[in-house]
Amino acid sequence: MMATVDMRAYGVTDVLIQRARESSGAEDPIVGRVLSQAHELYRVVGAEGELFAEASGKLRHAARSAADFPAVGDFVLMDRADDAGGRAVIGHVLPRASAFVRKAAGASFAQQVVAANVDTAFLCMSLAGDFNLRRLERYLTLAWESGAVPVAVLTKADACDNLERRLCAVQSVAFGIDVLAVSSMAEGGCEAVRPYVRPGKTVALLGSSGVGKSTLVNRLLG
């Protein structure tokens, strides 16, 4: 027997299920969450596990812009279709609680959703290397506009010789949000981040290359 995936761990709530019922008209709608996208093919997790899916013809026809198509993090309603090569068919994108948006490639004013339904945005910046308050301010603006809650995560604290001064500098531009100094090298150096990473909650990491995002994720998963 196929194991059932607990979709609550992926952020599905009673409120979301009710919205899915209202949108589909079905008592037991098939709700999935988009994990990744490659061209027009989506990898989606549902109660029966992961599968590939395509947008339905109706959804394509009704879409007015790239932002109306499914994006990573979206909760979607799915159907099975024999003529789709065994793939599921995404018929509807449920309302987004938050969305990171960028200008779509090749279009003057069109927008594309990069990630949806993010609860917390970790704004990652190195304390020891590429320390840039203006970049942090841009990340803050992006996070607030998305609807996600920003948290400043300052990496490589073990290599910073003026920690207090840099923390004060960050707090001067990141007022009103949590500011965490972490170290992937020290034992327990990333524990301050762990309370923000909980089942049913979605976290996105923003930051330039080399600030330690992958190392932080590996520490949290280890």
Side-chain angles (χ1 to χ4, degrees):
M1 180 179 295
M2 183 179 297
T4 300
V5 174
D6 180 8
M7 291 302 292
R8 291 185 181 276
Y10 286 89
V12 174
T13 63
D14 291 338
V15 172
L16 190 72
I17 291 295
Q18 183 57 37
R19 288 177 180 168
R21 288 171 178 159
E22 294 169 355
S23 297
S24 65
E27 180 61 28
D28 191 20
I30 303 175
V31 178
R33 191 165 195 192
V34 179
L35 300 178
S36 64
Q37 176 190 2
H39 302 293
E40 297 181 351
L41 189 63
Y42 302 90
R43 186 166 63 93
V44 184
V45 62
E48 296 182 356
E50 294 185 15
L51 68 164
F52 288 102
E54 298 174 336
S56 69
K58 183 177 180 180
L59 191 156
R60 295 171 189 269
H61 181 73
R64 293 170 294 177
S65 71
D68 294 325
F69 283 88
V72 174
D74 268 329
F75 295 103
V76 296
L77 296 178
M78 300 186 296
D79 293 304
R80 289 282 189 177
D82 294 336
D83 58 355
R87 296 170 182 160
V89 174
I90 298 173
H92 184 75
V93 178
L94 292 169
R96 294 163 175 148
S98 66
F100 285 88
V101 179
R102 71 179 177 190
K103 178 180 176 292
S108 299
F109 300 104
Q111 293 183 322
Q112 179 182 15
V113 178
V114 178
N117 300 305
V118 173
D119 297 297
T120 304
F122 285 163
L123 314 181
C124 300
M125 185 171 69
S126 172
L127 284 163
D130 193 12
F131 187 81
N132 189 316
L133 293 177
R134 301 290 80 79
R135 183 185 298 117
L136 179 61
E137 288 179 320
R138 291 195 294 272
Y139 288 151
L140 271 169
T141 299
L142 181 63
W144 285 128
E145 289 179 346
S146 77
V149 176
V151 175
V153 178
L154 308 178
T155 62
K156 305 183 182 180
D158 57 288
C160 180
D161 56 6
N162 53 356
L163 180 60
E164 290 302 323
R165 183 155 55 89
R166 290 207 158 175
L167 284 176
C168 288
V170 169
Q171 289 165 346
S172 71
V173 300
F175 41 85
I177 73 169
D178 293 343
V179 177
L180 312 176
V182 303
S183 169
S184 297
M185 302 300 294
E187 184 69 26
C190 296
E191 289 306 302
V193 174
R194 201 172 293 280
Y196 299 86
V197 184
R198 307 189 305 276
K201 298 297 181 181
T202 301
V203 175
L205 282 74
L206 305 180
S208 57
S209 178
V211 300
K213 300 187 297 296
S214 297
T215 304
L216 176 61
V217 170
N218 291 334
R219 277 283 186 168
L220 293 173
L221 294 177

